[in-house]
Amino acid sequence: MKRSKIKELLGTQPSGQTVVVSGWVRTFRNNQFIALNDGSTIHSLQAVVALNSLPEETLKRITTGACISITGELIPSPAKGQAVEVKVSQLEILGDSDPEKFPLQPKRHSLEFLREIAHLRVRTNTFGAVMRVRHAMAFAVHQFFNDRGFVYVHTPIITGSDAEGAGAMFKVTTLDINKPPRDEKGNIDSKQDFFGRDTNLTVSGQLEGETYALALSEIYTFGPTFRAENSNTTRHLAEFWMIEPEMAFYDIHDNMQLGQDLLQYLVRYALDHCKEDIEFLDKRAAEEEAAKPQEQRSELGLIDRLKFVTENDFQRLTYSEAFDILRNSNPNKKKKFQYLIEKWGADFQSEHERYLVEKHFKKPVILVDYPKEIKSFYMRQNDDGKTVAAMDILFPGIGEIIGGSQREERYERIVQRVNELKLPEKDLWWYLELRKFGSAPHSGFGLGFERLMQFVTGMTNIRDVIPFPRFPGNAEF
Ligand code: 4AD
Ligand code: MG
């Protein structure tokens, strides 16, 4: 007989039909009531074992964590909160789980503890919900772009270029690090390396993405990216996934609009398609909030925050306008900011971004026209000579969720910037050549997938929204 999924059974009219269902035991009460979960939904199915219907030996093996397969009748449930249950006629133990040793007890564990058992944590309600939402968000990303005629491009993971010019890259090499070959000057001879040159894990697919936008008009990438920054925060990973659309014929305003449309679409998709998981996560976040001191609690619950984003336009303003607001703000005057806002041109820290979003505007914010010194070489230079057409989208509780810009499409201008910043012009030959052959105004941005996941699930630590987080000092699993 074909196995049914629990999600499907919970929505089926019970009429005594025989069903087969498999999953992992969450609890087994009174030698009678099994709560069985197969991950297809947050809800468990109740399976009822009639007294004396199974040998004592089998009953003992129905333990929290064990994997079992059940055959039985689907009947209306007399218990509260569930429409159906299964009356067990056959039960097979597929995989035992020693209750003395199984680390996941049917109680609340701390997220820190669960990170240490990342191979098992997805069997909890919280991580099951988060990972189903993660799947739905990835699917919705493709849906959004496909509906708009964007082409999905697979940009390389191993690259020879440093897209952000920030230098925080993981090296890729097959040389023997204990005795690498040397050239005449005694430097490591990367000509003898696998690719005949230095290579790294990509920090962004943008530069390769631009080449495709200048042929296919509208493209996007969605893949893993890597940053070797020593950032031990709740918003940084060393390996994270990024969505990077790149569009010919879009200026910075079209770019901002696309960013807003994408975020609103994804949040609405979660509300519409992940209802039960989001409701569970909403309750979970509310409990977490209740444990905090009053002044640190957020004013809105998770679902309220999600609706708020879908229903309101994002506030758009320039870096300079934001700078004035921040300089005159109370926390700046009272020296409550860790980094005080004094001189135009300084980069905003997450405390400043969150002040703008959570305290001043109380809605998502798009900042545009940043000082060129704090932004990347490829951003389009504005006529004032001081700023570039860069934009960041800032979200409550998160800070920067999207970073992007209009790109410098003028050959002389970009070469001048590459030289000013002493970037390796010869490695960028192909990127610069785009500006020689059929250059076009174009724009794009990067959305950090895990930051989106944090917002949508209300999980406060980015390490809890990716299956196996990589961060400084940790690459277990
Ligand atoms: O602002 P970033 O560094 O921009 C770029 O990489 C551009 N090349 C994107 C583009 O224009 N195509 O990163 C983009 C986004 C950030 O806004 C943030 O959401 C996320 O990627 N991000 C990280 N997420 C998790 N861990 C990290 N270490 C991250 N660094 C950036
Ligand atoms: Mg950025």
Side-chain angles (χ1 to χ4, degrees):
M1 244 188 97
K2 189 174 164 288
R3 175 179 68 92
S4 300
K5 289 206 182 189
I6 289 174
K7 182 183 169 109
E8 181 194 323
L9 291 182
L10 292 177
T12 300
Q13 199 57 39
S15 56
Q17 63 271 53
T18 302
V19 298
V20 177
V21 55
S22 302
W24 293 267
V25 175
R26 285 292 173 82
T27 55
F28 184 34
R29 286 186 295 119
N30 300 344
N31 263 354
Q32 250 187 308
F33 303 106
I34 304 171
L36 191 69
N37 192 283
D38 68 358
S40 59
T41 155
I42 186 100
H43 300 296
S44 294
L45 176 73
Q46 172 152 290
V48 185
V49 182
L51 287 175
N52 306 319
S53 68
L54 291 179
E56 191 64 24
E57 249 330 284
T58 308
L59 287 177
K60 268 199 221 143
R61 294 169 63 196
I62 307 174
T63 56
T64 296
C67 186
I68 63 173
S69 183
I70 286 170
T71 307
E73 267 178 60
L74 189 70
I75 56 171
S77 176
K80 267 216 318 249
Q82 56 195 25
V84 301
E85 61 185 35
V86 171
K87 201 169 125 191
V88 176
S89 54
Q90 281 172 45
L91 187 150
E92 191 190 343
I93 309 275
L94 300 179
D96 286 287
S97 176
D98 181 344
E100 300 292 310
K101 297 192 179 131
F102 185 56
L104 277 179
Q105 295 305 314
K107 63 160 199 176
R108 187 174 283 262
H109 292 287
S110 75
L111 295 170
E112 290 76 14
F113 169 70
L114 292 173
R115 253 169 247 149
E116 290 167 17
I117 49 164
H119 60 309
L120 295 172
R121 68 178 180 170
V122 70
R123 295 196 204 169
T124 63
N125 282 333
T126 297
F127 284 91
V130 167
M131 295 310 159
R132 278 186 298 272
V133 173
R134 188 176 165 107
H135 160 76
M137 289 294 88
F139 182 80
V141 164
H142 291 297
Q143 185 87 60
F144 175 89
F145 287 116
N146 187 60
D147 287 351
R148 280 161 187 74
F150 282 59
V151 175
Y152 177 30
V153 177
H154 297 109
T155 50
I157 307 268
I158 299 174
T159 67
S161 59
D162 173 3
E164 290 305 296
M169 298 193 290
F170 290 101
K171 269 198 183 321
V172 174
T173 178
T174 54
L175 294 178
D176 179 350
I177 54 165
N178 294 315
K179 45 174 174 38
R182 304 273 173 185
D183 61 17
E184 321 77 69
K185 288 192 196 134
N187 298 321
I188 293 176
D189 185 9
S190 46
K191 289 206 184 63
Q192 295 185 48
D193 205 342
F194 189 91
F195 296 106
R197 56 170 301 157
D198 281 333
T199 48
N200 315 291
L201 294 179
T202 187
V203 295
S204 158
Q206 177 195 323
L207 302 195
E208 291 90 350
E210 281 184 56
T211 69
Y212 268 56
L214 293 184
L216 304 176
S217 291
E218 287 155 319
I219 66 97
Y220 69 106
T221 73
F222 183 4
T225 50
F226 307 86
R227 307 239 170 139
E229 301 156 353
N230 194 9
S231 299
N232 263 300
T233 80
T234 56
R235 302 176 313 118
H236 288 89
L237 289 166
E239 176 179 296
F240 65 99
W241 288 64
M242 187 152 53
I243 297 134
E244 295 183 275
E246 194 67 38
M247 301 76 63
F249 319 117
Y250 275 50
D251 68 13
I252 187 73
H253 301 282
D254 303 325
N255 201 27
M256 289 193 270
Q257 191 59 46
L258 185 75
Q260 176 176 328
D261 290 347
L262 172 63
L263 288 168
Q264 289 184 324
Y265 177 91
L266 294 173
V267 172
R268 201 171 298 124
Y269 191 97
L271 285 167
D272 291 346
H273 295 83
C274 308
K275 210 163 176 301
E276 293 179 337
D277 287 324
I278 297 285
E279 275 164 10
F280 171 84
L281 292 166
D282 180 68
K283 283 204 198 80
R284 181 192 171 281
E287 283 166 27
E288 206 171 68
E289 282 294 298
K292 289 186 193 163
Q294 183 76 45
E295 70 278 6
Q296 285 175 27
R297 290 183 205 162
S298 57
E299 287 162 29
L300 298 176
L302 174 62
I303 293 179
D304 295 331
R305 284 201 298 276
L306 298 183
K307 288 197 174 139
F308 189 77
V309 161
T310 64
E311 287 161 8
N312 288 287
D313 265 339
F314 299 0
Q315 179 74 42
R316 297 181 190 187
L317 70 160
T318 64
Y319 166 93
S320 299
E321 288 164 339
F323 177 82
D324 287 339
I325 292 172
L326 289 167
R327 197 184 39 194
N328 298 322
S329 68
N330 267 331
N332 199 54
K333 287 192 199 141
K334 294 191 177 147
K335 304 202 189 306
K336 289 266 164 63
F337 283 143
Q338 199 186 338
Y339 296 89
L340 293 180
I341 298 288
E342 283 160 342
K343 218 168 148 278
W344 188 94
D347 206 356
F348 297 152
Q349 305 294 320
S350 112
E351 57 179 342
H352 309 126
E353 298 175 341
R354 293 187 59 174
Y355 175 84
L356 290 169
V357 173
E358 291 160 34
K359 297 281 189 289
H360 190 83
F361 291 110
K362 297 189 192 286
K363 57 173 148 164
V365 165
I366 312 184
L367 293 184
V368 65
D369 296 336
Y370 279 83
K372 68 175 185 206
E373 274 73 26
I374 57 173
K375 289 291 183 185
S376 300
F377 75 97
Y378 52 70
M379 297 188 174
R380 193 173 196 279
Q381 298 161 52
N382 288 329
D383 293 340
D384 62 10
K386 284 172 18 193
T387 61
V388 287
M391 64 138 182
D392 275 6
I393 302 189
L394 315 177
F395 257 35
I398 309 287
E400 178 190 340
I401 194 163
I402 277 182
S405 74
Q406 185 166 339
R407 316 307 187 191
E408 184 55 83
E409 84 282 13
R410 297 163 294 187
Y411 181 75
E412 281 74 25
R413 289 295 195 97
I414 196 156
V415 169
Q416 165 219 332
R417 199 75 190 115
V418 164
N419 291 330
E420 270 169 26
L421 294 169
K422 301 198 171 52
L423 298 175
E425 190 178 336
K426 73 170 186 0
D427 288 348
L428 287 166
W429 67 272
W430 52 275
Y431 185 74
L432 299 174
E433 209 163 78
L434 288 180
R435 276 78 182 157
K436 276 195 195 162
F437 305 127
S439 191
H442 63 291
S443 300
F445 61 79
L447 165 61
F449 189 52
E450 284 74 23
R451 298 226 180 136
L452 169 81
M453 281 298 301
Q454 284 189 274
F455 183 73
V456 170
T457 61
M459 300 297 286
T460 46
N461 195 317
I462 199 164
R463 297 172 188 180
D464 297 329
V465 295
I466 188 166
F468 300 102
R470 269 82 181 94
F471 50 91
N474 188 289
E476 190 73 44
F477 307 102

